[in-house]
Amino acid sequence: MIKLIAKSVILSTLLSAPCFAESSNTTQSLSSKNQVTANFAVDYSQYNTVLQASVLELARSDRSYISYDENEQGPNLGSNRATDAEANRFYYEQFIDDPELKKSIAAIQSNLLSYLANNQLSKLSNEEQTAFWLNLHNVAVINELAQRYPKDTNSLSYDVADKSSFFYKKLFTYNGQELSLDDIEYKILMPLNKNNPLVMYGLYKGYIGSPNIRTQAYTANNLMPSLIDNAQEFINSNRGTNYSSNLLNVSTMYKDKKAYFNDFNNDLLAHLSLYADNDLLNKLKNKKTALFTIDNYDITDVTGPKHRDSYDIIISNWDKALLIPQHSFPRLNNLNIPAKRIVILRELQRKNDLLKTNVSGENAYYANNQ
């Protein structure tokens, strides 16, 4: 398996903890308008390395459905023909039987958690704080799924619905308050951003029906453009909205987001209209209600639940597949690799050039001493 190496970071910087100031009330301190410039910056270099090497950006939805033949063959498909070809993918397959990779992603989470152990996080600007909490949330999701993949990851519907799952388990402590991933959204990010619905599109949940994982960490500079881009991508995809018999169907995700909208039905429709393309916008006109019917809880891995058992076949034919010219794609049956998956394999190969064969000595030391 491929070994993950983070960008070169001085060990003393990794092991030293930035200083923070204590706040008596998490919600109040995070929701206030911060004018103070902090004397530190959060380091996302390792996390960026993982994202750049592991996230496969898929093209925006063209609203087409997967044909039955494609759905049987791949490339990374489950059983939802409307949405299986949508959403960016994360290469969870690289963590199978690779304890060093698992240690590395866990170390990145621990590094971000070290910022909570001090007492000046609230001195960051609102944008910087929002970026930090989104990144911590998403790293924690990736780490959880990477540690157990492929076990219990065919569908994350249980994790989303069950209050005992990792989404609701208290994982962090900040200012004396225990927080879950769910708490990050509702107790920190919502007050911090005055209930701006755009925040929800920065929260990657690990399944196809959730907003996209991006190829870069959130920062104060890219925060708003990235959230708007994710909102537009999601709303104008089959994962976010579609029409059937003139009925507006929307993601079940929105059903759980009533806290963002005072007049839920009308405000939700207005929110969708704000980021809708022209075709969807025309269809939204005069609509009064939406049906919460769209979901896809398949994990955003590359091979997909229907093809995970064929992972060894993919790896064994990897080199040969990469050599096949594009015009020969229709003649790939002898490789047992669908043509569309060859495209993904080539993209993975390009990303794997960002990775080295071993974890660096410094990062291995850091990973082993968390």
Side-chain angles (χ1 to χ4, degrees):
M1 289 293 291
I2 303 161
K3 302 288 187 179
L4 175 65
I5 179 171
K7 286 183 178 178
S8 177
V9 181
I10 298 175
L11 186 58
S12 60
T13 302
L14 287 172
L15 298 178
S16 62
C19 45
F20 297 130
E22 180 159 359
S23 168
S24 60
N25 184 290
T26 301
T27 301
Q28 289 182 357
S29 67
L30 291 178
S31 61
S32 61
K33 184 68 175 178
N34 291 307
Q35 301 295 335
V36 179
T37 301
N39 60 356
F40 69 92
V42 181
D43 180 11
Y44 298 122
S45 60
Q46 290 185 316
Y47 180 39
N48 272 324
T49 299
V50 171
L51 293 176
Q52 291 163 13
S54 304
V55 175
L56 297 174
E57 285 188 291
L58 298 190
R60 290 212 173 184
S61 173
D62 61 3
R63 297 289 189 177
S64 62
Y65 281 40
I66 300 167
S67 70
Y68 286 103
D69 288 342
E70 287 178 317
N71 205 41
E72 287 299 317
Q73 296 178 4
N76 50 339
L77 312 176
S79 57
N80 193 319
R81 295 175 53 238
T83 59
D84 277 336
E86 298 183 348
N88 290 350
R89 297 300 198 262
F90 190 89
Y91 188 32
Y92 286 106
E93 289 83 347
Q94 66 189 316
F95 294 97
I96 297 176
D97 300 325
D98 197 322
E100 292 301 321
L101 271 179
K102 292 179 180 180
K103 285 181 182 178
S104 295
I105 193 67
I108 292 172
Q109 178 175 320
S110 296
N111 187 37
L112 290 182
L113 286 176
S114 70
Y115 290 87
L116 298 183
N118 300 277
N119 55 12
Q120 284 189 354
L121 187 59
S122 60
K123 288 188 176 180
L124 294 171
S125 69
N126 282 18
E127 292 80 7
E128 289 170 319
Q129 289 184 58
T130 299
F132 173 83
W133 288 107
L134 288 174
N135 290 329
L136 177 59
H137 175 283
N138 296 350
V139 167
V141 170
I142 292 171
N143 183 42
E144 167 69 22
L145 297 179
Q147 299 304 323
R148 73 191 205 193
Y149 187 89
K151 183 180 179 182
D152 299 328
T153 57
N154 279 3
S155 172
L156 301 185
S157 58
Y158 168 84
D159 297 281
V160 173
D162 193 278
K163 297 300 181 181
S164 65
S165 78
F166 77 95
F167 283 119
Y168 307 99
K169 182 180 178 181
K170 302 298 183 182
L171 300 175
F172 322 112
T173 300
Y174 180 58
N175 284 349
Q177 183 179 10
E178 291 187 334
L179 299 171
S180 65
L181 294 176
D182 190 65
D183 291 332
I184 286 178
E185 178 176 6
Y186 292 105
K187 292 185 178 181
I188 294 182
L189 286 171
M190 282 187 63
L192 179 62
N193 292 276
K194 299 180 179 179
N195 292 16
N196 187 338
L198 273 177
V199 168
M200 74 175 80
Y201 299 101
L203 296 165
Y204 169 66
K205 300 298 181 70
Y207 57 91
I208 292 174
S210 71
N212 264 340
I213 184 68
R214 300 185 66 83
T215 58
Q216 288 186 316
Y218 290 102
T219 65
N221 290 334
N222 71 25
L223 179 65
M224 289 307 295
S226 297
L227 292 178
I228 291 173
D229 184 68
N230 263 18
Q232 291 172 333
E233 186 281 328
F234 187 82
I235 289 170
N236 295 291
S237 74
N238 289 333
R239 297 170 8 258
T241 61
N242 66 40
Y243 270 81
S244 176
S245 302
N246 204 35
L247 297 174
L248 171 63
N249 301 284
V250 301
S251 169
T252 54
M253 177 188 79
Y254 293 116
K255 192 174 183 180
D256 299 323
K257 305 299 181 183
K258 293 182 179 181
Y260 287 97
F261 306 103
N262 292 326
D263 182 356
F264 178 57
N265 197 67
N266 290 328
D267 288 351
L268 174 60
L269 292 174
H271 168 73
L272 297 176
S273 298
L274 187 61
Y275 301 102
D277 59 22
N278 289 334
D279 182 60
L280 177 60
L281 185 60
N282 289 332
K283 292 178 179 178
L284 286 171
K285 291 178 180 178
N286 302 319
K287 282 295 175 185
K288 303 297 183 182
T289 59
L291 303 176
F292 303 94
T293 60
I294 304 173
D295 61 49
N296 188 332
Y297 295 110
D298 289 346
I299 188 172
T300 57
D301 62 357
V302 174
T303 52
K306 290 186 68 176
H307 298 281
R308 203 163 292 145
D309 292 340
S310 66
Y311 182 72
D312 290 338
I313 295 177
I314 298 171
I315 297 302
S316 64
N317 287 298
W318 183 296
D319 292 336
K320 187 175 181 182
L322 292 171
L323 297 175
I324 293 178
Q326 187 166 350
H327 62 77
S328 297
F329 277 7
R331 301 193 297 274
L332 297 180
N333 291 337
N334 62 320
L335 285 181
N336 296 315
I337 303 180
K340 285 189 175 181
R341 194 178 292 179
I342 302 298
V343 177
I344 290 179
L345 288 175
R346 285 179 166 167
E347 175 63 7
L348 285 175
Q349 184 65 64
R350 186 187 71 78
K351 290 180 176 295
N352 288 338
D353 289 340
L354 300 173
L355 304 175
K356 306 302 179 183
T357 56
N358 295 291
V359 177
S360 69
E362 288 181 350
N363 285 319
Y365 176 89
Y366 177 65
N368 291 327
N369 285 274
Q370 293 305 299

